Amino acid sequence: MHLRKVIAAVLIPFAAAVMVGLAVLWPGGAPPHERTGVGFDRQTQQATVTKIEELPCDSVNASADTPNGDTSTAEGSSAQQQANGLCKRATIRIDTGEDKGRTFTEIVQPDQSRQLHEGQKVVAAYEPSAPEDLQYSVTDVNRRLPMALLAGIFAVAVVAVGRMRGLMALISLAISFLVLNFFILPAILQGSNPLVVAVIGASAIMLVALYLCHGLSARTSVAVLGTLVSLLLIGVLGSLFIDWAALTGNTDDNTGLIHGLYPSIDMSGLLLAGIIIGSLGVLDDVTVTQTSAVWELHEANPTMGWRGLYRAGIRIGRDHIASVVNTLVLAYAGAALPLLLLFSIAQSSVGTVANSELVAEEIVRTLVGSIGLVASVPVTTGLAALVVSADRHRTESATAAAAAGGGPAAAARGRKGRRRKR
């Protein structure tokens, strides 16, 4: 009973602090800036490919000389195809914005990775300062329909299998995206400390997701507390090693563009914020699973004490650690696969690859997150075992008192009433 009060004494002020943090740091939207026309910072409109014509490449590449070099190289082969192959002239119609209905043409070379076809939905970038016939260009394919269909299939699968729990999980997922889009991202762009924003935002997501999906109970509170302790460990380790390894967080074109548009943003703090938010989803899974395992072990054997529950829970946790850490490492490796291929092509040594800032960021991200995951297992299992063990002693006392006052029937009622309460 006292342990539950201690947990409540920690979580209630914590939840209140999160609410205060949300109120204080809540942004009024992302601050405006003049568009650079580079990368994602371009004006775009939806468009449709209305016509495709095939024509010799030499008729549209008239300024280029006919290549006669080595075609065994990538450059020579590409030049040969552009000179002697068939190109496509695509006519594209703008479907949105002030220029709706306007058309422009674009030449598609035979060696381009993205080949257009008639009726295809595309995204057109707009550059107002360019000559009129060059203001629009195809920058990407419109993938809204397949992405929306895939999201619908996912939602149906989650609800069909998870039923009410699955529906609650989808609602919590939607709330997580709302917190990310309307609080975390605008607050960072507004100039707030990325680490503080990430901690408050991740904590809000954690509280909503866990209590909404699993109910307001001691079991859920233990999972929340275990997640919180692990997040604190990840934050401390991440801050220490990002500083020690001199990681700037500014390693590619996208982060460079962010730093150029908003120089006040602490890029290394942004890196740490990403580590915390990225670890949260897997942490929730581990802490909830470990807490549920301890509770179910108690239900299967109510006489098992704290040490027995902890040992049994840790045995389950070891299997969980092995699978989750492997999953986390492979997820980060998969995301960085093109970069790893470049190092492989360059025949760089393992030490050289690991020492580069691009790869070092992923290593720190993976190892810090994995340490937090590993630590969450004994922490959450120990807390759950203590709470369940305290409940067992309380139940035994209540049962003994009921038996003394009302006989076996009263004792049985006491056991049932206590066992239902979780």
Side-chain angles (χ1 to χ4, degrees), residues 3-15:
L3 191 57
R4 287 176 181 251
K5 289 182 178 179
V6 171
I7 292 175
V10 172
L11 292 183
I12 291 175
F14 168 69

Side-chain angles (χ1 to χ4, degrees), residues 94-377:
I94 303 299
D95 295 333
T96 58
E98 296 180 356
D99 290 332
K100 182 178 180 180
R102 176 178 168 179
T103 61
F104 67 96
T105 59
E106 183 156 316
I107 301 300
V108 182
Q109 302 291 343
D111 60 335
Q112 283 185 211
S113 58
R114 183 186 297 117
Q115 295 292 314
L116 303 179
H117 58 81
E118 193 170 323
Q120 187 175 22
K121 300 293 184 180
V122 295
V123 178
Y126 176 62
E127 178 49 63
S129 62
E132 186 175 352
D133 58 339
L134 299 176
Q135 288 181 335
Y136 281 100
S137 61
V138 175
T139 184
D140 209 343
V141 173
N142 188 334
R143 303 180 180 88
R144 292 185 179 182
L145 180 59
M147 299 298 284
L149 179 60
L150 182 60
I153 294 172
F154 165 73
V156 170
V158 169
V159 174
V161 177
R163 299 189 179 181
M164 186 53 67
R165 287 284 181 90
L167 180 61
M168 291 297 103
L170 290 177
I171 293 173
S172 68
L173 179 63
I175 293 174
S176 299
F177 274 109
L178 289 175
V179 172
L180 183 65
N181 287 321
F182 291 99
F183 173 70
I184 295 177
L185 298 180
I188 292 174
L189 291 177
Q190 193 172 269
S192 299
N193 187 293
L195 178 57
V196 175
V197 171
V199 169
I200 293 174
S203 299
I205 291 171
M206 173 185 68
L207 291 170
V208 170
L210 289 180
Y211 282 117
L212 187 61
C213 293
H214 304 286
L216 190 64
S217 64
R219 181 190 298 203
T220 309
S221 296
V222 169
V224 169
L225 193 56
T227 304
L228 177 60
V229 171
S230 302
L231 281 178
L232 289 174
L233 176 62
I234 288 172
V236 171
L237 286 176
S239 179
L240 174 64
F241 282 95
I242 286 174
D243 183 59
W244 194 6
L247 298 178
T248 63
N250 189 3
T251 53
D252 56 25
D253 293 340
N254 294 326
T255 54
L257 179 60
I258 292 170
H259 185 64
L261 293 173
Y262 300 97
S264 61
I265 293 179
D266 178 10
M267 299 304 293
S268 60
L270 188 62
L271 173 61
L272 180 56
I275 293 174
I276 291 174
I277 294 173
S279 302
L280 178 60
V282 188
L283 271 177
D284 286 351
D285 172 51
V286 172
T287 54
V288 168
T289 302
Q290 285 304 116
T291 306
S292 296
V294 172
W295 247 264
E296 293 304 322
L297 287 168
H298 171 68
E299 289 293 329
N301 185 4
T303 63
M304 190 180 294
W306 178 85
R307 294 180 185 277
L309 287 170
Y310 180 77
R311 291 195 191 101
I314 282 294
R315 285 196 294 270
I316 297 171
R318 290 192 186 107
D319 290 336
H320 208 177
I321 287 172
S323 60
V324 169
V325 168
N326 195 45
T327 300
L328 192 63
V329 171
L330 290 178
Y332 285 129
L337 196 58
L339 177 64
L340 297 177
L341 281 174
L342 287 177
F343 280 110
S344 179
I345 292 170
Q347 297 182 351
S348 302
S349 66
V350 174
T352 302
V353 172
N355 190 64
S356 68
E357 186 169 0
L358 276 171
V359 176
E361 275 190 10
E362 299 303 326
I363 292 174
V364 170
R365 193 192 309 271
T366 302
L367 296 183
V368 168
S370 298
I371 291 170
L373 288 175
V374 171
S376 70
V377 171

Side-chain angles (χ1 to χ4, degrees), residues 20-158:
V20 171
L22 287 172
V24 171
L25 294 178
W26 193 269
H33 68 274
E34 292 188 8
R35 290 184 178 271
T36 63
V38 178
F40 292 106
D41 197 41
R42 290 180 288 185
Q43 298 182 44
T44 59
Q45 301 293 346
Q46 305 304 312
T48 303
V49 179
T50 59
K51 186 179 180 182
I52 294 289
E53 299 175 90
E54 288 192 346
L55 65 166
C57 288
D58 56 5
S59 66
V60 293
N61 298 329
S63 61
D65 296 331
T66 303
N68 53 13
D70 183 8
T71 58
S72 64
T73 64
E75 294 82 358
S77 176
S78 175
Q80 189 72 34
Q81 289 184 49
Q82 291 182 20
N84 302 327
L86 284 176
C87 292
K88 293 178 181 178
R89 179 164 56 199
T91 302
I92 297 111
R93 182 189 67 236
I94 303 299
D95 295 333
T96 58
E98 296 180 356
D99 290 332
K100 182 178 180 180
R102 176 178 168 179
T103 61
F104 67 96
T105 59
E106 183 156 316
I107 301 300
V108 182
Q109 302 291 343
D111 60 335
Q112 283 185 211
S113 58
R114 183 186 297 117
Q115 295 292 314
L116 303 179
H117 58 81
E118 193 170 323
Q120 187 175 22
K121 300 293 184 180
V122 295
V123 178
Y126 176 62
E127 178 49 63
S129 62
E132 186 175 352
D133 58 339
L134 299 176
Q135 288 181 335
Y136 281 100
S137 61
V138 175
T139 184
D140 209 343
V141 173
N142 188 334
R143 303 180 180 88
R144 292 185 179 182
L145 180 59
M147 299 298 284
L149 179 60
L150 182 60
I153 294 172
F154 165 73
V156 170
V158 169

